[in-house]
Amino acid sequence: MKRTLVYAVILLLTACPLLAASKATLEQKVEEQVKVAVTPNKGAIEKNLRIDFEIAESFYDERYDQNNGPYRADIACKAYALDAHWLILSGTCMRYSSGDIREPGDHEFIERYGRVIKDKIEYSYNDNVMLIWTNENKYEAPFVNVLATSSPVQLFTLSANHKIKINTARLGTDAVRNRTLKTGSINGNRFQLNEGLSDLSGTATDPLFLISPEENEFLAAYNNGEISYALQMRSDDILKTFDGLTSKDWFSLNKKDLEFIKVTVQANRPNDWNKIKQRLFFDNTKVPFFSNK
């Protein structure tokens, strides 16, 4: 009996190092897979592109009970390369301006409808993001990663060990700035940043990025400002163009936005999906959301 007990103890002591080694090897493999999953994209935040649009709008004026237009307007939006054939932009790029069309107060009588984009581009958009695609091998790395979250609360949590940066067009600049999230500012999917006197606020279509400890860059939110624009209704309107208005509010991207990207890519350029899905993340910056889907 004693001899059997001794053999059991020896076997246990021999197995423990093997189990520990096996666990360490498994953890190492997991860590290696995570490193492979996230393609380095340092500097992506600086690689923004300007996309110009000519839009046409018609509207119904209740005051005079008549249709008007279509009238032309020019706008431009900030874009980033998601892949060699794809750009991602803020969904605010295609929101109607809430400003007056002709004189103060006239927007109260106007119902806008029938927007048409004149540029010959392939595009699709929802409330938060817009995608543009082309059959040309047109855009270059570093490509952006996209980070959606279940709530801005998760952005605040991740900011404990991730840097926050914005790329802002404020005051005619094209500037990358370090920022911090404002505690207590969350309202639905919107939040604010701490802003001092010397800080540049965000404007329409400006992005917010999370920068991981490994210096990978994740597009996670957009400024909620709108683009004001002048419809070319009279000859002197040629002097009026568009302007990205500032907003203190930012909105986070969510799981529906990732699904929108998936559906759009698979419907239009399905061969690009295996590359793009490796750049889409949810609630973390380690493992792509669609990696096993």
Side-chain angles (χ1 to χ4, degrees), residues 115-223:
R115 169 175 286 199
V116 175
I117 299 178
K118 294 293 188 181
D119 279 12
K120 295 180 179 179
I121 59 173
E122 299 287 344
Y123 68 94
S124 184
Y125 60 94
N126 66 7
D127 288 339
N128 290 342
V129 295
M130 178 177 184
L131 294 175
I132 293 175
W133 61 93
T134 174
N135 290 327
E136 299 178 31
N137 196 19
K138 196 170 183 178
Y139 310 115
E140 298 180 352
F143 301 121
V144 296
N145 295 314
V146 178
L147 173 64
T149 51
S150 48
S151 164
V153 172
Q154 182 63 10
L155 288 184
F156 280 63
T157 300
L158 290 170
S159 69
N161 62 350
H162 289 66
K163 296 178 183 177
I164 302 292
K165 292 186 179 183
I166 65 171
N167 186 317
T168 179
R170 182 76 189 277
L171 302 178
T173 65
D174 181 20
V176 175
R177 291 288 186 268
N178 291 312
R179 302 301 295 272
T180 57
L181 305 179
K182 184 177 180 180
T183 302
S185 66
I186 296 175
N187 181 15
N189 75 325
R190 298 183 184 180
F191 60 93
Q192 296 180 356
L193 307 179
N194 290 313
E195 294 190 353
L197 294 176
S198 61
D199 290 323
L200 293 176
S201 300
T203 66
T205 78
D206 283 349
L208 179 144
F209 279 73
L210 261 68
I211 315 298
S212 74
E214 297 79 21
E215 298 190 316
N216 293 315
E217 303 182 359
F218 298 80
L219 172 61
Y222 280 110
N223 188 267

Side-chain angles (χ1 to χ4, degrees), residues 16-32:
C16 285
L18 293 176
L19 289 173
S22 177
K23 181 180 179 182
T25 302
L26 179 61
E27 290 177 348
Q28 182 179 0
K29 288 183 178 179
V30 171
E31 183 65 25
E32 288 174 355

